[in-house]
Amino acid sequence: MNLLQVVKLAIAGIRANKMRSILTMLGVIIGVAAVIVLVSIGQGATKSVTEGIQGLGSNLITISIRSNRANESISYEDVMAWQDREGVAGVSPDVTGNVSLKYGNKKYDTSMEGTNAEYEQVRNTKVQAGRFILPIDLTFRQKVVLVGTTVADELFGQANPIGQTIKVNGANFKVVGLLEEKGAASFGSNDDRIIIPFTTAQVLTGGRGVRQVYVQADSPDSVTSVVAQLDNYLYRKFNNNSDAYRVNNQADMLSTVNQVTGALTMMLGGIAGISLLVGGIGIMNIMLVTVTERTREIGVRKAIGAKRGDILRQFLIEAVVVSGSGGIIGILCGFLLSTAVGSLMSMDTSVSPQIVALSFGFSVLVGILFGLYPANKAAKLNPIEALRFE
C-alpha cells in the first residue's frame, strides 16, 4: 500500500468518526491558535513600543541631570555649545511640569514642556497649523504656546485655536501652533500637552539650570561617539561625580525593550504550546482506542501479507493526518482571532509566516511523537491472536 492510499484511509477514518475526530483535534486546534494569537500579540506590542520610541526622534540621546546641588548645574548656554561637537545634529534642552489652563469658562490641567526651536527636529515633532517655537521667542521670553490636539479639543472644541489667548497658570499666552496628532505613549498621551519657549518655562516654573537635554546624532554610527564625548564632558563638569547625571541613548533603550518583549513573547508562546502537548495526549488516547477497535482488521492485513512496517506506517500516518488537520484548522482560527484581537486592542497583530510554519510543524511533530506508541503497539500484534479478538 503506497503513501497516498494510506492517507486516503486515514481521511476516510476521520470522516467515519467525525465527532470523535473533531474532539481529538480540538486540543491541537486550540494549541496552534493560541500560539499564533499570543505570539502575534507579543510581536504587535514589540512593534508598537519600538515605533513609539523611534517616533520620539531618530538617533536620540537623552541626558538627565540628577544632582540638586547648587554648584552642580549646567546652563542653557553650556548645553547649546554642544552643537559645535562632532557628530551632533541638534540639541534641545527641556523643562517639564504640570500646568493649569483656562480659556473663557473652560479649565484644563495638562503637562507642559519648555524647549527651543531645535526640538522640532530632535524630537520629530511637527505642527499641523501655525508655527513652531522660534529663536526670538527664547531671546525675549515670549509668552507663546503650542497646544496638543487633546488640549485643543478640550479648550476650543472645533474652533481654530491659532491666535487665541489662553491662561497658563494665570499668565496670558498666545496660541501660535497646533501640534500634529501622535497618539498614546508608554508614559501618557503625546497629544495631552503644551510646548512653550524654554526661557519662558524657566520663569514660569522658577527653575534654574537645565535638568534634561535631548541630543540628536547626525547618523546611527555617530551615536556611540557623541555619547562618549558628552559623558566625558559631564564627568568633568560635575567634578568626577558620575551619579550627578545619566546619559541614555535610543539604541540601548530599543535593545532593552526588544529583549524584554522578546522574552515575554517566547513565554506566551511556550504557555500556549502546553495545550499542544495536551492535544498530543488526546491523539495518543484515541489512537490506542482505534488500535483496539481495529484489532481484527490488523490481524486480517497481517494474514494476507502486510508487514510490521506497513501497519506501523498506517497508524502513524493516521495520527499525523489528525494532528496536521488540527494544525491547519488552528492556523485559520489563529488568523481570525489575531485580526479580531488586533481590532479590539487597536494594535497591529500581523501573523508572521515563521510562526505559522513553526506552529504547523510542531502540530505534525506532536502527531508523530504521540502516534508512535499506538502505531508500534498495532504493528506488534500477533496475527493469530488479533484474528481471535472480539
Side-chain angles (χ1 to χ4, degrees):
M1 185 179 294
N2 59 37
L3 181 61
L4 182 60
Q5 289 175 314
V6 174
V7 172
K8 287 181 178 179
L9 275 176
I11 295 173
I14 292 173
R15 289 177 175 175
N17 300 279
K18 291 185 180 65
M19 183 56 68
R20 187 170 74 180
S21 299
I22 291 172
L23 293 175
T24 303
M25 289 187 287
L26 195 57
V28 177
I29 294 171
I30 293 173
V32 171
V35 168
I36 290 175
V37 171
L38 292 179
V39 171
S40 66
I41 289 174
Q43 291 179 336
T46 301
K47 183 178 179 181
S48 177
V49 174
T50 299
E51 288 177 348
I53 294 174
Q54 291 175 335
L56 298 177
S58 58
N59 309 323
L60 189 66
I61 301 165
T62 305
I63 297 170
S64 302
I65 308 302
R66 306 170 69 183
S67 175
N68 292 316
R69 297 176 183 176
N71 64 333
E72 291 188 341
S73 63
I74 186 168
S75 68
Y76 178 80
E77 290 72 22
D78 290 337
V79 167
M80 295 312 297
W82 296 350
Q83 288 183 312
D84 298 329
R85 290 179 175 271
E86 184 180 356
V88 175
V91 178
S92 176
D94 190 62
V95 59
T96 59
N98 294 318
V99 292
S100 178
L101 308 179
K102 185 177 180 181
Y103 175 72
N105 295 324
K106 296 181 180 179
K107 295 182 179 180
Y108 188 68
D109 294 331
T110 188
S111 60
M112 173 211 71
E113 285 188 80
T115 188
N116 63 357
E118 297 284 328
Y119 188 93
E120 183 177 15
Q121 170 193 321
V122 173
R123 293 296 305 274
N124 190 29
T125 301
K126 308 298 181 184
V127 293
Q128 58 177 297
R131 66 169 176 86
F132 206 77
I133 292 172
L134 301 175
I136 193 173
D137 296 327
L138 282 87
T139 303
F140 294 100
R141 293 186 173 89
Q142 301 276 34
K143 291 182 179 179
V144 294
V145 59
L146 293 91
V147 297
T149 53
T150 300
V151 176
D153 290 340
E154 291 290 339
L155 293 181
F156 306 105
Q158 299 299 317
N160 183 9
I162 307 300
Q164 302 294 333
T165 299
I166 64 173
K167 289 186 179 294
V168 180
N169 283 356
N172 288 329
F173 277 72
K174 182 179 179 180
V175 179
V176 296
L178 175 63
L179 298 170
E180 280 189 351
E181 187 172 355
K182 275 200 167 187
S186 57
F187 47 82
S189 174
N190 282 315
D191 303 318
D192 190 4
R193 61 172 176 161
I194 63 169
I195 296 177
I196 65 175
F198 179 84
T199 50
T200 308
Q202 282 191 310
V203 174
L204 195 67
T205 60
R208 291 184 176 181
V210 179
R211 309 300 302 173
Q212 183 162 282
V213 188
Y214 297 108
V215 179
Q216 184 183 41
D218 57 14
S219 70
D221 296 332
S222 302
V223 172
T224 303
S225 172
V226 173
V227 168
Q229 291 181 57
L230 298 179
D231 188 67
N232 290 334
Y233 169 83
L234 292 168
Y235 188 71
R236 294 192 304 270
K237 180 73 176 178
F238 292 110
N239 302 314
N240 302 336
N241 180 15
S242 59
D243 294 329
Y245 63 93
R246 176 174 292 176
V247 181
N248 296 314
N249 73 73
Q250 190 181 54
D252 290 343
M253 190 184 303
L254 283 170
S255 177
T256 301
V257 167
N258 287 333
Q259 286 178 6
V260 172
T261 53
L264 180 62
T265 301
M266 291 297 292
M267 184 184 72
L268 292 174
I271 292 172
I274 293 173
S275 59
L276 268 174
L277 296 178
V278 174
I281 295 172
I283 290 174
M284 178 186 284
N285 179 57
I286 208 66
M287 290 305 297
L288 287 171
V289 172
T290 301
V291 169
T292 302
E293 290 177 346
R294 296 165 63 182
T295 300
R296 286 180 64 84
E297 176 194 327
I298 295 168
V300 171
R301 288 198 60 199
K302 282 196 168 186
I304 60 176
K307 297 178 181 179
R308 177 177 172 179
D310 296 328
I311 303 298
L312 177 68
R313 184 175 61 172
Q314 178 185 349
F315 282 90
L316 188 58
I317 288 176
E318 287 187 17
V320 171
V321 168
V322 171
S323 65
S325 300
I328 293 172
I329 297 172
I331 289 170
L332 296 175
C333 292
F335 268 106
L336 294 174
L337 288 172
S338 293
T339 303
V341 170
S343 299
L344 290 173
M345 298 176 66
S346 299
M347 179 189 297
D348 183 7
T349 55
S350 58
V351 180
S352 66
Q354 294 88 341
I355 294 300
V356 171
L358 183 63
S359 300
F360 180 72
F362 194 47
S363 69
V364 173
L365 182 61
V366 163
I368 294 172
L369 293 178
F370 287 92
L372 198 58
Y373 174 71
N376 191 50
K377 183 179 178 182
K380 286 183 178 179
L381 285 176
N382 186 297
I384 297 175
E385 292 180 0
L387 288 169
R388 290 175 178 173
F389 183 82
E390 294 182 4

